[in-house]
Amino acid sequence: MSYDIDYLTLLSQQYPTVKTASTEIIRLQSRQKLPKLTEHFMSDIHGEYESFLHILKNASGVIKDKITQIYGRTLSERDRQVLATLIYYPEQKLEYIKDEVDDINDWYKITLYRLIEICRVVASKYTRAKIREFLPEAFGSIIDELIHANTDYGSDQESYYNESISTIVELGQADDFIVEISTLIQTLAIGRLHIIGDIFDRGPRADIILDTLTKYHSVDIQWGNHDVQWMGAAAGSLACIANVLAISTKYSNFDCLEDGYGINMRPLTVFALETYADDPCECFIPRNPNMVYISQHDENFWAKVHKAISVIQFKLEGQIIKRHPEFNMDNHLMLDKINYENGTIMLEGKEYKLKDTNFPTINPENPFELTDAEKELMNLLRSSFLRSEKLQNHVKFLYEKGSIYLTFNNNLLYHGCIPMNSDGTFTEVTLFGETVSGKSLMDKAEQLARDGYFAK
């Protein structure tokens, strides 16, 4: 009963009178009769911003499906494709089309009719009040009237509808109108965007993806393992910082770090060149999934950087594993299993020859200890991550719109996997003295992440 009173007290702040409460109830009840909004799911984006933006613009084919639904019998496949591309990339496509058509004013009128009809169809799942929230400042009121006008032959609004379109063309506003209504169609085509993990990783610009998501009208995010690593780095975790830097150097991905978030890489590069000056670091030559040209000199340079931060990563992760035996991750410890004299490593009772045996910063007696130079380097890098305003804003957005898991429309959304036993039951895991499994494990993990970032 006390819970009900507390809940009602909070509601009364937003709906202080019977009329305001009744209005909201009527609105919510009426919305139940509208068609279900289109949900859009994207996962494992991994910083590939160009692919992400293209998929977002075409709503994974939803817009093309609507065009086929409306014009499948009256337009050719080619004309439908041209119309779809115009909606996805209006500015670029307009420049191309204007050089191709003979009568541009006639093309404008036909295209405006088509775009308004498409907009009317994608807007049919929304209340008119909701649509007004998305309308652009320019042409907003005109679009609102046109997509809700009765265009049946002989209707009172038909002449208003036709005159509006003619006037848009005559005043030379057709290009701007097409851009605005195309953007609106893109927005209305997706009622809810679900990002099911891994915005970050090897791709070039995760920051551009997050810039886009922060402006998106309806989005939720389920954190992936790579996202959590960046969130930990933004909180100042040295192990997470080393991890994201190791992945970035491994895949020749420095734009997100330097251009996106302003992370100062100079201390790391200076340390790497001093420590591994004569070491070719062949096992650490970075991969190049984005096919960016890298000279032999730069390849060797970044191989040294990759090795330097990787060794630090192994040390820091080893320290965490040793501090928390309840994690049962001793099998991930490597540096203490190396015979540094003969250059071999013993794994699960079998000895292997190492391809790289040059480890000047590792003390065989205490292999997981950072050298003084490594400690100084990591403190400088931590400062750079903590002071990156853009990174901190993006991580706060991930906490605001994100979670480990989400239930939405009776669907359970989460990234990766949940630990389970062979008999189908949830595996019990001990985290900081608390034994958890299944949902309680996910909840505990999220609590630890939030505490790690917000609890100063």
Side-chain angles (χ1 to χ4, degrees):
M1 179 62 72
S2 62
Y3 173 81
D4 291 340
I5 295 298
D6 292 340
Y7 185 63
L8 291 171
T9 299
L10 287 172
L11 282 175
S12 68
Q13 297 174 12
Q14 191 170 357
Y15 309 104
T17 66
V18 173
K19 286 185 178 181
T20 56
S22 299
T23 299
E24 181 64 11
I25 292 171
I26 294 168
R27 186 184 69 83
L28 291 173
Q29 286 289 98
S30 301
R31 283 186 61 184
Q32 299 302 311
K33 301 301 180 182
L34 287 172
K36 185 179 177 182
L37 294 176
T38 300
E39 294 179 58
H40 192 47
F41 299 84
M42 296 177 69
S43 177
D44 296 280
I45 305 167
H46 293 309
E48 301 290 350
Y49 73 99
E50 290 181 334
S51 299
F52 165 78
L53 293 175
H54 178 68
I55 293 171
L56 197 63
K57 286 177 179 293
N58 67 34
S60 283
V62 170
I63 292 173
K64 192 173 182 180
D65 289 343
K66 296 297 183 186
I67 293 172
T68 302
Q69 173 189 330
I70 301 168
Y71 298 113
R73 296 181 180 180
T74 57
L75 290 179
S76 67
E77 172 64 29
R78 179 185 178 280
D79 287 341
R80 295 200 303 272
Q81 182 62 51
V82 169
L83 186 56
T85 307
L86 176 65
I87 294 173
Y88 307 156
Y89 303 99
E91 296 98 332
Q92 298 91 326
K93 192 64 177 177
L94 276 169
E95 292 302 316
Y96 174 79
I97 289 174
K98 285 190 290 187
D99 292 334
E100 294 292 315
V101 299
D102 296 326
D103 189 338
I104 188 63
N105 286 343
D106 187 48
W107 179 87
Y108 277 141
K109 290 179 182 179
I110 293 172
T111 301
L112 289 175
Y113 278 115
R114 289 171 178 169
L115 291 176
I116 291 166
E117 184 60 27
I118 295 167
C119 191
R120 178 183 291 116
V121 171
V122 297
S124 63
K125 295 183 178 183
Y126 297 86
T127 64
R128 192 162 183 176
K130 188 65 177 177
I131 292 170
R132 284 172 177 160
E133 295 179 13
F134 302 139
L135 292 174
E137 184 175 345
F139 308 116
S141 60
I142 299 172
I143 293 174
D144 186 27
E145 293 293 338
L146 291 176
I147 64 175
H148 292 101
N150 179 6
T151 58
D152 292 340
Y153 181 75
S155 68
D156 293 337
Q157 291 184 320
E158 184 192 11
S159 58
Y160 165 81
Y161 183 82
N162 294 332
E163 186 62 29
S164 296
I165 290 177
S166 296
T167 304
I168 291 170
V169 176
E170 291 168 6
L171 292 177
Q173 297 299 305
D175 282 8
D176 290 340
F177 189 91
I178 288 171
V179 171
E180 296 291 359
I181 198 168
S182 295
T183 303
L184 180 60
I185 291 169
Q186 292 177 25
T187 300
L188 295 175
I190 301 175
R192 181 77 167 190
L193 177 61
H194 304 288
I195 304 296
I196 319 293
D198 280 355
I199 296 169
F200 290 93
D201 190 23
R202 56 190 175 273
R205 295 301 295 270
D207 60 296
I208 293 177
I209 295 170
L210 277 160
D211 278 339
T212 304
L213 292 176
T214 56
K215 302 179 184 72
Y216 206 75
H217 63 93
S218 182
V219 62
D220 55 69
I221 301 165
Q222 290 71 61
W223 307 327
N225 49 303
H226 291 286
D227 304 324
V228 172
Q229 288 168 354
W230 276 84
M231 291 156 67
S237 164
L238 295 182
C240 289
I241 290 171
N243 192 293
V244 301
L245 289 174
I247 290 175
S248 295
T249 54
K250 178 179 180 179
Y251 290 101
S252 309
N253 176 20
F254 318 110
D255 291 347
C256 184
L257 286 166
E258 297 178 310
D259 298 338
Y261 292 126
I263 303 300
N264 183 7
M265 295 286 286
R266 178 171 170 74
L268 175 58
T269 57
V270 170
F271 172 83
L273 290 176
E274 291 178 350
T275 306
Y276 300 100
D278 300 321
D279 187 340
C281 301
E282 292 179 354
C283 294
F284 294 88
I285 292 175
R287 302 176 188 177
N288 190 8
N290 303 310
M291 302 304 292
V292 177
Y293 172 74
I294 300 177
S295 67
Q296 184 69 45
H297 175 271
D298 287 344
E299 189 177 76
N300 294 335
F301 170 77
W302 287 113
K304 299 179 193 301
V305 177
H306 182 204
K307 180 174 182 177
I309 196 62
S310 294
V311 171
I312 293 173
Q313 175 192 350
F314 299 152
K315 289 184 177 184
L316 291 169
E317 291 179 349
Q319 291 176 17
I320 293 174
I321 293 170
K322 293 175 75 66
R323 283 201 304 270
H324 296 280
E326 72 274 15
F327 291 173
N328 295 316
M329 292 181 66
D330 284 355
N331 61 320
H332 286 259
L333 297 174
M334 298 290 174
L335 300 184
D336 58 344
K337 298 177 177 62
I338 295 176
N339 185 321
Y340 291 90
E341 291 184 0
N342 60 18
T344 60
I345 185 170
M346 184 69 69
L347 298 175
E348 298 180 351
K350 187 174 180 179
E351 190 176 59
Y352 298 88
K353 188 71 176 177
L354 293 175
K355 294 181 178 179
D356 189 327
T357 58
N358 180 37
F359 303 111
T361 66
I362 295 179
N363 174 11
E365 302 299 321
N366 190 0
F368 299 107
E369 181 183 31
L370 296 183
T371 65
D372 289 341
E374 288 173 328
K375 290 177 183 177
E376 181 181 359
L377 166 63
M378 292 310 298
N379 283 330
L380 289 172
L381 290 170
R382 171 192 271 159
S383 177
S384 191
F385 273 81
L386 291 175
R387 291 179 180 177
S388 172
E389 183 178 358
K390 187 174 184 179
L391 175 60
Q392 296 300 329
N393 287 336
H394 281 173
V395 168
K396 288 173 185 175
F397 173 77
L398 289 174
Y399 279 110
E400 178 187 352
K401 296 292 186 179
S403 55
I404 288 282
Y405 69 90
L406 177 71
T407 53
F408 192 91
N409 278 343
N410 295 319
N411 292 314
L412 174 61
L413 311 178
Y414 64 94
H415 180 86
C417 58
I418 301 174
M420 300 187 72
N421 301 314
S422 57
D423 63 358
T425 58
F426 291 119
T427 302
E428 291 188 340
V429 177
T430 301
L431 292 178
F432 296 91
E434 183 178 349
T435 301
V436 289
S437 64
K439 181 178 182 297
S440 62
L441 170 60
M442 308 289 266
D443 291 337
K444 182 66 175 180
E446 178 162 339
Q447 176 203 327
L448 290 171
R450 293 185 182 277
D451 288 348
Y453 187 78
F454 292 104
K456 301 300 182 183

